[in-house]
Amino acid sequence: MKKTYHGSCHCHTVRFECTIDLDAGTSKCNCSFCAKLRFWKAFIGGDALQLLAGGDNLTEYQFGSKTIRHFFCKTCGVKPFGRGELEVMGGVFYAVNLSVLDDLSQEELLAAPLQYQDGLHNNWGEVPTETRHL
Ligand SMILES: [Zn+2]
């Protein structure tokens, strides 16, 4: 079921709201970037996220194919979301950092389906051989 959640960085400069259907699944990936953050995310469409404050305090990082713009707060360093545009994802999409959602309960998070992706080997449809560290 789709639900609206509110997210913020650690210093609360960056605030946003987004609509997520957690029943549609969450994911963790073993790519070089996600593994360093232990990034637990949900993908949503480009129209399902609205920045409420702090847009000018966001800076971004890109690597590899530069498909995704990884945004983080200039002040506190927390990454609220990444943004990309891919045909296979239906156009513009966000990868929301579920850890920054202030009104997502632990119960809801733990009840959401979780899929692991082998991004390290560019094998997004496959589960990595080891996932316990993600
Ligand atoms: Zn911040």
Side-chain angles (χ1 to χ4, degrees):
M1 187 181 67
K2 281 189 179 179
K3 194 173 161 184
T4 300
Y5 296 96
H6 297 83
S8 61
C9 65
H10 190 259
C11 70
H12 293 279
T13 304
V14 178
R15 291 184 291 112
F16 66 96
E17 67 176 26
C18 59
T19 304
I20 306 177
D21 180 2
L22 284 175
D23 299 329
T26 67
S27 59
K28 294 182 180 182
C29 160
N30 66 348
C31 83
S32 59
F33 191 69
C34 288
K36 281 194 183 273
L37 290 174
R38 296 206 164 95
F39 194 58
W40 191 352
K41 66 190 178 299
F43 289 110
I44 58 173
D47 57 355
L49 185 146
Q50 285 82 39
L51 256 180
L52 301 176
D56 55 359
N57 213 51
L58 284 172
T59 190
E60 65 177 272
Y61 173 68
Q62 290 183 292
F63 69 99
S65 63
K66 300 193 174 174
T67 308
I68 315 262
R69 299 165 70 188
H70 301 275
F71 290 101
F72 57 98
C73 172
K74 286 180 195 174
T75 305
C76 68
V78 166
K79 177 187 174 183
F81 50 78
R83 186 180 190 275
E85 187 169 1
L86 283 172
E87 216 170 288
V88 67
M89 298 291 289
V92 174
F93 66 91
Y94 287 95
V96 176
N97 183 356
L98 296 172
S99 307
V100 309
L101 298 180
D102 299 308
D103 48 6
L104 169 62
S105 72
Q106 195 175 62
E107 291 74 21
E108 277 178 287
L109 180 61
L110 295 177
L114 169 60
Q115 185 189 356
Y116 292 97
Q117 301 165 310
D118 190 8
L120 184 62
H121 302 102
N122 217 15
N123 227 346
W124 301 90
E126 299 295 320
V127 175
T129 49
E130 180 57 84
T131 59
R132 291 172 297 175
H133 62 303
L134 297 173

